[in-house]
Amino acid sequence: MDSTDHAIIEHLRRDCRMTNTELADRVGLTPSPCLRRVRRLEKEGVILGYHARIAPKALNRGFEVQVDFELTDQTRETVERFETALTDFDEVVEARRMFGAPDYHALVAVANLETYEHFMAQQLLALPGLARLQSRFAMKTLKSDAPRSGH
């Protein structure tokens, strides 16, 4: 990837709705070579897709909780059962298996604290192989990699 590819990526990251003509103008190319570069970046798996960023509150998911999980053991069966059950929940919007402790880290998005408490008590605490769960939620988001609204 050269500097033009990086410029294309940065502009699309900030505003994926711009037209190819606008993008080409911003990176100093004519539309045809710009479109070829975008298609190549998509084909190579650099650009994974395009999406609309929706306000979490509009989806009743304005309350985000960071949840750490530790398992009772690391057998293949325990891990597979836990991962399948965890990722089946719509409330779990991101889940990662970690090196070291905790074993897993997830982002849960729900309407409010009361909804999270119910989800945690009824669903998360019943996950197969769960030894320990710890929940945290942010007081304030200082920085997010997502583009700011209006860009």
Side-chain angles (χ1 to χ4, degrees):
M1 288 193 339
D2 62 15
S3 61
T4 303
D5 289 338
H6 285 285
I8 288 170
I9 291 165
E10 185 57 26
H11 285 290
L12 287 176
R13 190 182 74 75
R14 291 179 183 269
D15 180 6
C16 69
R17 292 184 50 166
M18 75 175 63
T19 67
N20 182 61
T21 304
E22 291 172 317
L23 179 61
D25 186 52
R26 291 184 187 185
V27 299
L29 293 173
T30 58
S32 291
C34 182
L35 185 58
R36 281 194 298 273
R37 282 180 180 253
V38 169
R39 297 291 183 242
R40 178 180 48 81
L41 291 167
E42 291 170 346
K43 184 179 176 184
E44 292 174 354
V46 175
I47 296 174
L48 299 175
Y50 304 89
H51 71 280
R53 189 166 164 244
I54 310 298
K57 285 184 180 182
L59 302 173
N60 247 358
R61 293 176 178 240
F63 188 74
E64 294 183 337
V65 183
Q66 305 284 328
V67 186
D68 292 333
F69 302 92
E70 292 180 19
L71 301 184
T72 55
D73 61 72
Q74 299 292 317
T75 64
R76 175 179 282 166
E77 180 184 351
T78 299
V79 166
E80 288 175 357
R81 288 179 60 224
F82 177 84
E83 288 179 359
T84 298
L86 180 66
T87 57
D88 278 349
F89 294 124
D90 287 338
E91 295 87 348
V92 176
V93 296
E94 185 176 291
R96 298 174 188 268
R97 186 171 184 193
M98 309 299 287
F99 282 104
D103 296 316
Y104 291 86
H105 178 80
L107 177 64
V108 173
V110 293
N112 53 40
L113 178 59
E114 182 181 343
T115 305
Y116 175 70
E117 192 279 329
H118 184 264
F119 175 67
M120 181 194 71
Q122 298 300 313
Q123 305 294 325
L124 295 180
L125 289 175
L127 284 166
L130 179 65
R132 184 172 181 262
L133 173 152
Q134 181 176 356
S135 305
R136 296 183 313 277
F137 53 93
M139 179 186 312
K140 176 180 175 181
T141 299
L142 302 177
K143 182 177 180 179
S144 171
D145 191 36
R148 293 182 302 266
S149 59
H151 287 266

